[in-house]
Amino acid sequence: MNITDRFEFDVVIMGAGLAGMSAAAKMAEDHPQLKVAVLSKVHPVRSHSGAAQGGINAAVAADDKWADHYYDTLKGGWFLGDQDAVRALTEEAPEAIYELDRWGVMFDRLPDGAFAQRPFGGQRRNRTCYVQDLTGHALLSTMYEIMVKKGVAVFDEWFVFALVADAGRFFGFLAFDLKTGRIGWFGAKAGLIATGGTGRIFGQSSNALINTGDGMALALRAGAPLKDIEFFQFHPTGLLNGILITEGARGEGGYLINKDGERFMARYAPKFMELAPRDLVARSIHTEIMEGRGFEDGCVRLDLRHLGAEKIKERLPQIREIAMYFAGVDPIAAPIPVRPTVHYTMGGVHVDVHCATPIRGLYAAGEAACVSVHGANRLGGNSLLETVVFGRRAAQTIPAALDGAPAAPAAAIAREMAAFAALFGDGGKENVAELRQDLERTMVAGFGLKREAASMTTGLQEMDALAARWDGVRVREKNLIFNLELVRALELRHMLDVGRACACASLPRQESRGSHFRYDFPKMDNAHFLKHSLVSMTPGGELALGELPVTIVDVPPLDEIKY
Ligand SMILES: Cc1cc2nc3c(=O)[nH]c(=O)nc-3n(C[C@H](O)[C@H](O)[C@H](O)COP(=O)(O)OP(=O)(O)OC[C@H]3O[C@@H](n4cnc5c(N)ncnc54)[C@H](O)[C@@H]3O)c2cc1C
């Protein structure tokens, strides 16, 4: 098995969702002399950013302030967010929105021309700009047009299977073209990982099937640690099959009710009600269901009927369609059955506020990265914002740091190619689909919405055993063209890496903070755990847990979070 194509670029971006494309477009605009390429395992507009429904936050209203957005984000994240990073996110948000507007995103407007903004959870005012309930799709399509217009080289349906780094320096990616089976070496002075989240390790999730943590795992293997990877967000309102019903539905005024017809959030968050932060609403729904106040189908109900047909059709057309197709319910006439669904990866590749990893020349942005702006729980509408703000930041940082990289180490590339070829060798009895199901079952049992020592200890042991079983995976189909057996095998390896890292960081965090809720340690413990976790991988594949202080600038962390 040989490399068939050799490309050299200044910058290669792995991932063409909103983070990757924002970085590419901005870099091409500000530095037209640079050769920039993006690689994506799906066509860019099929990237998962397109699924985002509800909107993107920014203090753009005349009477709103970035400082309020800053505080709401810190509190929503249980003060685990780094304050310099959260400041960058919220202070640079308005400019990011104005630029998207200039580039052609058709944001909904008020009659006076100002941005329409809906309320989202954990925020003290309406701050979420939107395009109906299709915001991600609108942003992604516009960004793709801009990126292509600015001359970025796009390699769509190329699957990256290796990141080559040596002696602490990045050199390039190896990828194969799903359409032709050609294998390419993409050498570059700098690389950006923008591969999105990893929700699929839990099986049923609001995430697309492609959200398998490829970039996080390759970075981990190359020597860049994963930060805060124990924090996975459950969105309160998924359908039974995991498909998302946006927080925008509650933002527009939807109620959550239990089988007794009670708006139960009054007992958990009397002030914010359905618009409390996601971790709190998800846990409240879980409690209602576990204590017998759910419906027979294991769900509670999201009631939109009182909004009226006109508002539902105008503001939530996609939600209505999803509810009708996938739950058989027209929300104009009946409430939607909902329950929490795995949604977002707060942790990711450890980067600083300039998107730099500890590996020279390697950067990360978007959901694949952990800057960290979301802390222990992301507020809705802040993730699209992160992709754009930190995509732009990467576009500023990377060109300024480019240097004359030494020649790529042939031995390191050969090693990666040999490992790839070995996947097609003889022997090996493991079945990828079965192994993936075992992974999903283990993650749900050990590291779900509520956690405790016993189940996490079992989960940790099982994850190590599952990772060992991956060595028995072989790909029987030798032709690389649309070889989905190969794709699923590689994705599984990445999911196992991220799942193991989550398991490794979860057990020692003996407190409850945001999405990491423990029955056995139900309180937040700033004295011992106001710190980031850092999971690294040794060359032998062992995981090691380290830590990093949280950056506190001007807001003293609270000892208790109430809404
Ligand atoms: C259903 C849903 C609704 C959401 N709604 C909102 C919302 O309203 N507001 C909000 O702020 N956030 C929302 N989010 C979160 C937000 O959409 C995501 O966090 C964000 O879009 C991630 O963008 P990204 O660019 O980091 O990654 P993605 O958009 O996921 O892009 C990842 C890219 O990496 C590529 N890639 C991955 N692996 C490989 C590989 N091996 N080789 C080559 N390419 C690879 C993919 O092809 C893709 O191009 C929502 C999430 C979900 C699941």
Side-chain angles (χ1 to χ4, degrees), residues 16 18-19 40-41 47-49 52 54-55 160 196 214 343-344 367 381 383-384:
L18 270 176
S40 174
K41 65 180 175 181
S47 297
H48 191 58
S49 292
V160 176
D214 301 2
H343 185 58
Y344 187 81
E367 194 172 339
S383 173
L384 291 181

Side-chain angles (χ1 to χ4, degrees), residues 356-379:
T357 75
I359 297 177
R360 190 161 166 202
L362 184 65
Y363 301 80
E367 194 172 339
C370 181
V371 186
S372 78
V373 288
H374 308 301
N377 171 57
R378 172 176 76 88
L379 292 185

Side-chain angles (χ1 to χ4, degrees), residues 325-339:
Y325 282 139
F326 296 103
V329 165
D330 181 350
I332 291 174
I336 310 170
V338 290
R339 65 175 185 178

Side-chain angles (χ1 to χ4, degrees), residues 464-485:
D464 285 342
L466 292 175
R469 276 171 58 193
W470 194 87
D471 293 339
V473 166
R474 295 289 178 280
V475 177
R476 285 169 226 302
E477 174 56 62
K478 311 279 188 247
N479 188 337
L480 292 192
I481 298 177
F482 281 111
N483 187 338
L484 293 186
E485 187 192 359

